[in-house]
């Protein structure tokens, strides 16, 4: 059984977390949306992701190589970052 993704119009806490994520990334990915039934947890996961992707001192090429290494065997993550890795020169 799958849990439904909450409706931002009906769940103010979910909407607030999505607004925070949009402010930092410009969008809310499907993988983050899927964690919407636990808004407090989603907020923490999004903060870690924001740091790793946008605030680390790693050069883009090394960052994307690290992400792809971690994404082996995870088709969603691989598909999402493959083009970014190519743009970074991998």
């Amino acid at each position: 059984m799958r849990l439904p993704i909450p409706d931002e119009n009906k769940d103010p806490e979910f909407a607030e977390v999505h607004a925070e994520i949009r402010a930092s990334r410009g969008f809310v990915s499907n993988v983050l949306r899927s964690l919407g039934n636990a808004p407090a947890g989603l907020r923490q996961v999004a903060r870690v992701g924001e740091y790793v992707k946008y605030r680390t001192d790693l050069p883009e090429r090394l960052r994307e190589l690290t992400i792809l290494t971690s994404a082996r065997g995870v088709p969603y993550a691989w598909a999402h970052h493959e083009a970014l890795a190519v743009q970074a020169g991998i």
Side-chain angles (χ1 to χ4, degrees):
M1 178 168 86
R2 292 183 181 187
L3 291 172
I5 294 177
D7 183 342
E8 287 185 66
N9 297 316
K10 295 179 181 175
D11 186 336
E13 187 178 12
F14 180 65
E16 180 181 321
V17 175
H18 270 214
E20 292 172 13
I21 294 169
R22 274 191 210 95
S24 70
R25 302 166 192 230
F27 68 100
V28 180
S29 69
N30 288 335
V31 73
L32 290 176
R33 290 182 65 80
S34 71
L35 298 172
N37 287 289
L42 170 57
R43 178 177 277 124
Q44 298 308 315
V45 168
R47 285 179 180 161
V48 170
E50 177 187 355
Y51 173 77
V52 170
K53 180 74 172 138
Y54 303 107
R55 299 191 187 281
T56 182
D57 291 336
L58 288 175
E60 182 180 11
R61 185 172 180 198
L62 184 54
R63 185 180 64 235
E64 289 301 329
L65 180 59
T66 302
I67 292 169
L68 284 183
T69 301
S70 302
R72 287 181 305 164
V74 183
Y76 177 87
W78 186 274
H80 185 73
H81 283 276
E82 182 178 19
L84 297 171
V86 170
Q87 287 175 353
I90 295 174

